[in-house]
């Protein structure tokens, strides 16, 4: 079955950088890109148990006459065939719905959230809700396009981390890029994590596929992140906690995204790893 | 491992798994209470606004009050809440039709605030539709909180709607019937019970907080055969008033869309126009319940001319308010316009036939309201029960039924769809449960793809192809480029029939020579109804699904029919 990747196109230099990351992702995962060129500054995404209104800033409506040709030119240059999708339906006259029937989605930090636009370093509430509600992983690109040469999975042993690891294994298989693991273990031993892998029947595949396991029992998490290669795609799972809970108790996802400049691929709590 | 919070998943409890009605009833009560509270909140805020602005009404610049209110309402909805204008009921119906009642949380309060700004400042609109939107969004939010499925969520959206209508009118039966007739479009036992309970909860919380009062109490009417006969004429008048209001609203909205200025400017222009109109015909301002009260009591002071003028002015003011970006609903304006129509008709009869023993004019005002609500909403039961509950005039039951039914029928002839359904139907987005379009809309292309297909190469000889055919049960063979994997065309059994008995051709003809290189194909995003239409038009039983120039599988009528039946069973088995 075809793998599809959803991208909301922005006809600006920053939008180009983000689009190039989506194209790069599609090219290497052999996914077909579904491009949505917005005509309104908002659209709805109806998930299984949530409806998310994405409020775009005006930059997404920049020069609509050239948006399509710019997108085509960039896609052709990247060797990816572009597919443009219109809104599925309209909830209201100026409020289109966009399908959520995709396998991946690109979601810039600044898609709808003011705090992220002024670089406060938090993933905005809309992006967080998409991550929490979606069955697909969300690519949060870096501000500038850089080819990634390896995949780094953050594995903390939770069910979501196992999902992320499955995703990382899938990506490594399909892109033929080396896969690394990153574990901030604290007092737990490596045997504990291997046991978790065995429970999920992925221990052998991990052993065969993983190039290096960055295993830390000491040091601060944010300091150890220095070991993540600058040109790696970071893959991690998200618990799906709300903004307040994460601000109060902290979050690995927030820590990683605010420390690493790399593109992140986040598998939310509803991501179905078994579907791959 | 993620800790499961059991109380967030009540539907998983074995107690509710056998029959979830008790779960829906329990949560329905909560939804009904919150919706009733929303109705009371809106009511109180309207009273606060009206009382607060009362001392300004006599000032020369008072016509700017509706403009300011509409402008503030539009800015609040557009810029702060980032929602579109309008009353929101089509949004509720749309979400029930397509997405199992998923509504945004912000809708549970946004329209309450915006409509209180519009109506409280004098805009000609009603608070019922916003409160319905609010109640429905409350139901949807609570359903999402408890992770209920689509069907259960839809029922709770219905509970919210019923609770809101019951709360704002103190009319639980109307809440139930409006929900079934307009919002859900189906009468199933699984829905009726929780929705009825929610309506009771909504009405009860409203009675506790605001008192158990009848909105428009009448002094009692004695209906005779003459009145029944006269009500036939009133029904036709009400029907034409419905058509006039429907078209006026849509026309005004059409004009407003063509003018390229910010929405808040449009709203303020519309508001100012209504304010100016209100100088000459004060009855057009606000929800207009005071006028209805006077008319039903038979103490409305104006003559036939004033009643007729107020009738047209109210239609114009409502079209201006709602068509130009104000926030509110059409329920209350319908009641006002209907009562003016009834009053004017009664006075016309009394003028034309002075000796005729007609019932008090208040009765005709009341019948006019029912006629207008029934006509514009295409919902006769809602019209009948609403008027019975808000006036407690059970003695007018017979003419009420006559007016409602005839008005609905006549209006249907000119405007086949309810005002709330019209836009959705034009966009092909009104999908009622159990209908063909709804069943097909709920099936995705991915669900009906057959992937066990045999692909062939364009360079395959006919002999090899027949050998393949002998061992296959398939009638369609997609042709792929062996190097690039690109989809090139398709060979149908019918295409090779003429070659079967011509063995000379077996080693001279290649598949690429007999394939259909330009077949109709299906894409993932295609609508299944369109696919079926193409199959019917082209007499095809199967079509290839192609994505990214690659063959993915086949969609056949047989598989589609199997899936169709499954889906139909799912949708119709929910009836009891």
């Amino acid at each position: 079955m075809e793998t599809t990747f959803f991208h909301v196109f922005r006809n600006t230099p920053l939008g180009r950088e983000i689009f190039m990351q989506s194209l790069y992702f599609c090219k290497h995962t052999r996914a077909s890109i579904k491009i949505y060129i917005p005509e309104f500054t908002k659209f709805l995404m109806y998930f299984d148990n949530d409806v998310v209104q994405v409020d775009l800033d005006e930059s997404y409506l920049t020069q609509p006459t050239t948006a399509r040709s710019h997108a085509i030119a960039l896609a052709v240059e990247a060797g990816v065939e572009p597919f443009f999708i219109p809104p599925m339906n309209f909830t209201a006259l100026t409020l289109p719905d966009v399908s959520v029937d995709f396998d991946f989605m690109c979601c810039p930090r600044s898609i709808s959230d003011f705090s992220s636009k002024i670089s406060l370093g938090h993933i905005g509430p809309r992006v967080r809700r998409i991550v929490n509600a979606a069955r697909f992983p969300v690519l949060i690109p870096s501000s500038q396009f850089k080819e990634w040469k390896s995949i780094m999975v953050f594995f903390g042993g939770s069910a979501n981390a196992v999902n992320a690891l499955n995703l990382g294994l899938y990506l490594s298989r399909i892109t033929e890029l080396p896969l690394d693991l990153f574990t901030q273990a604290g007092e737990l031993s490596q045997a504990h994590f291997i046991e978790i892998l065995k429970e999920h029947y992925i221990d052998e595949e991990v052993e065969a596929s993983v190039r290096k396991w960055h295993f830390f029992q000491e040091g601060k998490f944010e300091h150890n992140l220095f070991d993540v290669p600058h040109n790696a795609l970071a893959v991690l799972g998200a618990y799906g906690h709300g903004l307040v809970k994460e601000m109060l108790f902290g979050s690995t996802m927030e820590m990683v995204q605010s420390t690493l400049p790399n593109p992140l691929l986040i598998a939310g709590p509803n991501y179905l790893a078994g579907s791959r | 491992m993620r800790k499961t919070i059991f109380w967030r998943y009540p539907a998983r409890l074995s107690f509710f798994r056998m029959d979830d009605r008790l779960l829906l009833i329990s949560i329905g009560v909560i939804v009904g209470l919150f919706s009733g509270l929303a109705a009371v909140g809106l009511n109180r805020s309207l009273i606060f606004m009206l009382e607060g602005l009362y001392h300004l009404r006599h000032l020369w610049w008072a016509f700017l009050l509706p403009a300011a209110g509409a402008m503030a309402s539009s800015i609040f909805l557009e810029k702060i809440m980032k929602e579109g204008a309008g009353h929101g009921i089509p949004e509720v119906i749309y979400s029930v039709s397509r997405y199992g009642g998923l509504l945004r949380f912000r809708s549970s309060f946004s329209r309450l605030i915006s409509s209180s700004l519009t109506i409280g400042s004098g805009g000609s609109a009603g608070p019922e539709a916003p409160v319905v939107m609010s109640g429905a969004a409350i139901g949807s939010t609570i359903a999402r909180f408890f992770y209920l499925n689509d069907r259960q969520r839809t029922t709770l959206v219905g509970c919210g709607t019923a609770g809101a209508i019951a709360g704002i009118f103190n009319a639980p039966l109307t809440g139930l019937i409006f929900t079934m007739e307009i919002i859900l479009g189906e009468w199933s036992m699984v829905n009726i019970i929780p929705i009825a309970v929610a309506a009771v909860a909504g009405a009860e919380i409203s009675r506790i907080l605001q008192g158990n009062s009848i909105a428009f109490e009448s002094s009692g009417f004695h209906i005779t055969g003459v009145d029944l006969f006269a009500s036939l004429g009133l029904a036709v008048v009400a029907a034409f008033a419905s058509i006039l209001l429907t078209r006026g609203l849509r026309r005004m909205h059409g004009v407003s869309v063509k003018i390229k200025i910010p929405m808040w400017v449009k709203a303020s222009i519309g508001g100012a126009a209504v304010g100016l109109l209100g100088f000459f015909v004060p009855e057009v301002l606000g929800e207009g319940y005071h006028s209805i009260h006077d008319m039903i009591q038979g103490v409305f002071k104006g003559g036939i001319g004033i009643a007729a003028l107020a009738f047209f002015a109210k239609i114009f003011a409502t079209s201006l308010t709602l068509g130009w970006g104000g926030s509110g609903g059409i329920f209350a304006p319908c009641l006002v316009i209907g009562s003016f129509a009834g009053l004017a008709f009664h006075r016309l009869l009394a003028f034309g036939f002075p000796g005729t023993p007609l019932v008090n004019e208040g009765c005709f005002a009341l019948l006019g309201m029912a006629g207008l609500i029934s006509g514009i909403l295409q919902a006769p039961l809602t019209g009948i029960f609403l008027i019975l509950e808000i006036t407690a005039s059970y003695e007018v039951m017979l003419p009420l039924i006559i007016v409602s039914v005839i008005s609905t029928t006549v209006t249907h002839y000119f405007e086949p769809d309810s005002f709330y359904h019209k836009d959705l139907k034009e966009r092909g987005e009104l999908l009622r449960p159990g209908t063909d379009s709804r069943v097909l809309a709920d099936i995705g292309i991915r669900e009906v793809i057959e992937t066990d297909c045999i692909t062939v190469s364009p360079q395959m000889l006919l002999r090899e192809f027949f050998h393949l055919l002998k061992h296959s049960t398939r009638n369609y063979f997609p042709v792929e480029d062996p190097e690039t994997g690109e989809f090139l065309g398709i060979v149908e059994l019918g295409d090779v029939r003429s070659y079967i008995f011509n063995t000379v051709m077996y080693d001279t003809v290649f598949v690429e020579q007999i394939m259909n290189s330009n077949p109709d194909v299906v894409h993932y995003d295609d609508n299944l109804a369109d696919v079926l239409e193409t199959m019917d038009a082209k007499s095809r039983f199967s079509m290839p699904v192609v994505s990214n120039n690659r063959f993915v599988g086949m969609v056949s009528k047989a598989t589609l029919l199997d899936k169709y039946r499954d889906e139909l069973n799912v949708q119709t088995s929910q009836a009891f």
Side-chain angles (χ1 to χ4, degrees):
Chain A
M1 205 66 90
E2 182 195 33
T3 305
T4 51
F5 184 101
F6 177 57
H7 182 94
V8 183
F9 186 71
R10 181 160 35 166
N11 195 16
T12 62
L14 179 62
R16 181 180 58 200
E17 294 296 319
I18 292 166
F19 187 52
M20 284 163 73
Q21 296 182 58
S22 291
L23 291 169
Y24 186 81
F25 187 96
C26 287
K27 189 174 181 182
H28 285 78
T29 58
R30 282 174 251 155
S32 72
I33 191 158
K34 306 284 180 184
I35 306 161
Y36 173 59
I37 299 178
E39 290 178 25
F40 305 98
T41 52
K42 51 189 180 241
F43 64 87
L44 288 179
M45 298 182 86
Y46 285 92
F47 294 102
D48 292 344
N49 191 45
D50 200 3
V51 50
V52 179
Q53 179 170 326
V54 179
D55 300 310
L56 305 168
D57 57 62
E58 292 291 334
S59 68
Y60 278 86
L61 306 184
T62 308
Q63 285 200 296
T65 47
T66 59
R68 197 181 172 94
S69 57
H70 283 171
I72 292 172
L74 287 166
V76 169
E77 194 183 316
V80 176
E81 191 176 356
F83 291 93
F84 294 90
I85 54 162
M88 209 163 65
N89 294 299
F90 283 82
T91 294
L93 207 59
T94 56
L95 188 56
D97 324 339
V98 170
S99 164
V100 294
D101 198 11
F102 302 109
D103 299 295
F104 295 96
M105 177 186 177
C106 174
C107 201
R109 290 172 174 86
S110 63
I111 195 162
S112 63
D113 178 57
F114 184 68
S115 65
S116 53
K117 258 187 279 181
I118 54 173
S119 304
L120 289 182
H122 284 289
I123 292 179
R126 294 286 173 277
V127 177
R128 185 182 295 275
R129 273 181 70 189
I130 291 174
V131 168
N132 289 349
R135 285 178 182 269
F136 47 75
V138 173
L139 176 71
I140 297 188
S142 51
S143 56
Q144 207 167 12
F145 171 57
K146 185 195 278 183
E147 294 186 352
W148 30 276
K149 301 293 181 194
S150 66
I151 296 161
M152 171 69 85
V153 175
F154 287 82
F155 181 65
S158 67
N160 295 304
V162 172
N163 272 349
L165 180 54
N166 274 314
L167 178 61
L169 287 167
Y170 162 77
L171 289 173
S172 171
R173 258 195 324 269
I174 201 158
T175 59
E176 296 175 356
L177 289 173
L179 176 72
D180 298 328
L181 284 190
F182 183 106
T183 300
Q184 181 74 25
E187 292 172 0
L188 297 169
S189 68
Q190 198 158 4
H192 168 78
F193 292 93
I194 291 170
E195 197 56 41
I196 293 170
L197 297 178
K198 279 181 183 164
E199 276 173 26
H200 291 88
Y201 309 107
I202 50 173
D203 51 323
E204 286 176 13
E205 193 180 355
V206 167
E207 192 164 349
S209 312
V210 170
R211 179 179 66 178
K212 186 178 178 188
W213 191 338
H214 301 261
F215 196 85
F216 298 98
Q217 285 183 305
E218 288 175 358
K220 277 187 163 183
F221 180 55
E222 56 268 42
H223 296 164
N224 293 335
L225 284 175
F226 195 83
D227 274 21
V228 177
H230 65 95
N231 55 0
L233 170 71
V235 180
L236 63 157
Y239 267 105
H241 290 155
L243 178 67
V244 176
K245 210 174 211 175
E246 292 206 351
M247 284 183 84
L248 285 175
F249 301 111
S251 145
T252 308
M253 181 172 79
E254 284 294 356
M255 174 67 77
V256 172
Q257 78 86 27
S258 59
T259 312
L260 278 184
N262 303 40
L264 311 178
L265 188 65
I266 302 176
N270 288 311
Y271 165 62
L272 299 172
S275 65
R276 318 220 142 267
Chain B
M1 196 64 79
R2 195 180 181 198
K3 201 169 80 179
T4 308
I5 309 167
F6 285 108
W7 63 273
R8 289 284 301 272
Y9 299 90
R12 290 184 189 172
L13 296 173
S14 54
F15 182 65
F16 292 128
R17 270 195 205 158
M18 297 285 286
D19 183 352
D20 64 0
R21 262 179 284 194
L22 199 59
L23 170 73
L24 292 175
I25 290 169
S26 314
I27 303 180
V29 172
I30 302 169
V31 173
L33 288 173
F34 277 109
S35 305
L37 279 174
V40 172
L42 180 57
N43 222 357
R44 290 287 164 90
S45 65
L46 282 178
I47 293 169
F48 174 77
M49 287 275 293
L50 289 168
E51 285 178 353
L53 297 176
Y54 181 75
H55 66 283
L56 302 175
R57 295 272 175 215
H58 67 281
L59 300 171
W60 69 268
W61 51 266
F63 74 94
L64 291 173
L65 288 176
M71 184 177 73
S73 158
S74 177
I75 289 172
F76 175 75
L77 264 190
E78 285 276 322
K79 305 289 179 195
I80 299 173
M81 287 289 109
K82 296 188 187 292
E83 285 200 278
H87 44 76
I89 289 186
E91 269 186 60
V92 177
I93 299 169
Y94 173 77
S95 90
V96 166
S97 285
R98 277 213 178 260
Y99 300 110
L102 276 176
L103 288 161
R104 290 160 290 169
F105 170 68
R106 68 181 80 174
S107 300
S108 58
F109 58 89
S110 61
R111 286 211 171 51
L112 292 184
I113 298 169
S114 64
S115 64
S116 66
L117 287 168
T118 300
I119 305 164
S121 62
S124 176
E128 299 78 18
V131 91
V132 163
M133 178 80 185
S134 172
I138 288 170
S140 178
T141 305
I142 291 178
R144 278 192 281 131
F145 182 79
F146 288 119
Y147 294 96
L148 301 186
N149 63 31
D150 282 13
R151 182 182 61 76
Q152 293 164 332
R153 196 190 306 121
T154 301
T155 305
L156 288 192
V157 166
C159 289
T161 305
I165 288 283
I168 198 104
F169 283 123
N170 186 15
L173 260 179
T174 309
L176 169 66
I177 287 164
F178 174 80
T179 304
M180 308 308 279
E181 214 170 22
I182 299 288
I183 304 293
L184 303 186
E186 61 170 345
W187 297 80
S188 60
M189 289 306 289
V190 76
N191 285 337
I192 287 175
I193 296 167
I195 291 171
V197 172
V200 170
E204 193 53 38
I205 194 80
S206 164
R207 285 175 187 183
I208 290 169
L209 297 173
Q210 303 191 117
N212 183 10
S213 57
I214 306 292
F216 307 112
E217 208 158 1
S218 64
S219 48
F221 304 111
H222 178 65
I223 305 293
T224 64
V226 178
D227 300 313
L228 287 181
F229 188 70
S231 65
L232 296 174
L234 177 57
V236 177
V237 171
F240 280 103
S242 305
I243 296 162
L244 198 61
L245 181 59
T246 304
R247 294 189 178 173
L249 281 162
R250 288 172 64 82
R251 186 66 58 86
M252 205 55 93
H253 183 66
V255 171
S256 151
V257 166
K258 282 181 192 158
I259 299 170
K260 301 292 175 200
I261 50 174
M263 185 54 99
W264 62 269
V265 179
K266 285 183 198 176
S268 51
I269 292 172
V274 172
L276 279 173
L277 195 60
F279 255 136
F280 306 102
V281 191
E283 288 82 4
V284 303
L285 294 175
E287 55 190 12
Y289 286 163
H290 186 71
S291 307
I292 297 176
H293 195 264
D294 286 356
M295 283 185 269
I296 288 179
Q297 290 293 323
V299 295
F300 185 76
K301 290 198 173 61
I304 184 172
I306 295 292
L309 177 69
F311 166 79
F312 286 110
K314 186 70 182 174
I315 290 178
F316 187 55
T318 307
S319 306
L320 272 172
T321 303
L322 298 179
W324 281 65
S327 181
I330 57 161
F331 241 89
C334 278
L335 295 178
V336 178
I337 294 163
S339 54
F340 277 125
L343 187 78
F345 184 73
H346 184 279
R347 290 186 178 179
L348 193 68
L349 284 182
F351 181 75
F353 307 95
T356 313
L358 284 171
V359 70
N360 182 289
E361 63 183 17
C363 177
F364 270 57
L366 182 157
L367 294 176
M369 294 197 289
L372 218 91
I373 288 282
S374 305
I376 202 161
L377 301 187
Q378 290 289 296
L381 288 179
T382 302
I384 293 167
F385 281 94
L386 173 68
I387 302 308
L388 284 180
E389 285 194 297
I390 63 174
T391 63
S393 303
Y394 294 92
E395 65 278 11
V396 299
M397 178 75 90
L398 294 183
L400 202 56
I401 294 173
I402 290 173
V403 171
S404 293
V405 169
I406 294 178
S407 172
T408 307
T409 311
V410 175
T411 309
H412 181 77
Y413 186 78
F414 295 96
E415 289 286 341
D417 301 307
S418 156
F419 177 75
Y420 292 140
H421 297 160
K422 200 172 172 66
D423 284 341
L424 291 173
K425 201 149 185 191
E426 280 174 3
R427 298 192 325 238
E429 288 165 1
L430 181 66
L431 309 169
R432 290 307 203 187
T435 59
D436 184 63
S437 49
R438 171 67 180 269
V439 174
L440 286 174
D442 282 2
I443 306 172
I445 295 284
R446 286 171 196 262
E447 294 174 70
V448 289
I449 293 181
E450 299 164 11
T451 50
D452 56 335
C453 306
I454 302 165
T455 55
V456 294
S457 142
Q459 276 79 43
M460 183 183 262
L461 275 170
L462 204 54
R463 179 178 296 283
E464 296 169 288
F465 182 76
F466 282 137
H467 180 73
L468 188 78
L469 192 63
K470 212 158 54 178
H471 298 96
S472 158
T473 54
R474 290 247 156 224
N475 295 332
Y476 293 85
F477 297 87
V479 185
E480 279 183 349
D481 187 316
E483 285 174 12
T484 61
E486 202 173 307
F487 175 73
L488 299 173
I490 198 155
V491 180
E492 196 183 333
L493 201 57
D495 299 335
V496 294
R497 190 164 285 127
S498 56
Y499 298 94
I500 292 177
F501 302 106
N502 192 351
T503 50
V504 179
M505 308 293 268
Y506 278 26
D507 295 314
T508 53
V509 173
F510 292 98
V511 160
E512 66 182 341
Q513 292 171 283
I514 54 171
M515 72 179 183
N516 176 3
S517 54
N518 192 23
D520 290 306
V521 296
V522 178
H523 298 103
Y524 278 128
D525 308 326
D526 285 349
N527 188 331
L528 216 46
D530 297 337
V531 173
L532 207 55
E533 204 171 295
T534 311
M535 282 184 177
D536 286 342
K538 305 270 174 80
S539 304
R540 303 231 171 264
F541 294 99
S542 223
M543 281 172 73
V545 182
V546 175
S547 175
N548 216 352
N549 278 338
R550 300 278 192 284
F551 172 77
V552 183
M554 298 292 291
V555 171
S556 74
K557 267 189 179 174
T559 316
L560 213 156
L561 185 65
D562 281 347
K563 193 75 194 166
Y564 185 97
R565 287 184 61 214
D566 291 345
E567 186 60 39
L568 192 63
N569 275 336
V570 169
Q571 289 188 16
T572 52
S573 66
Q574 295 161 4
F576 292 98

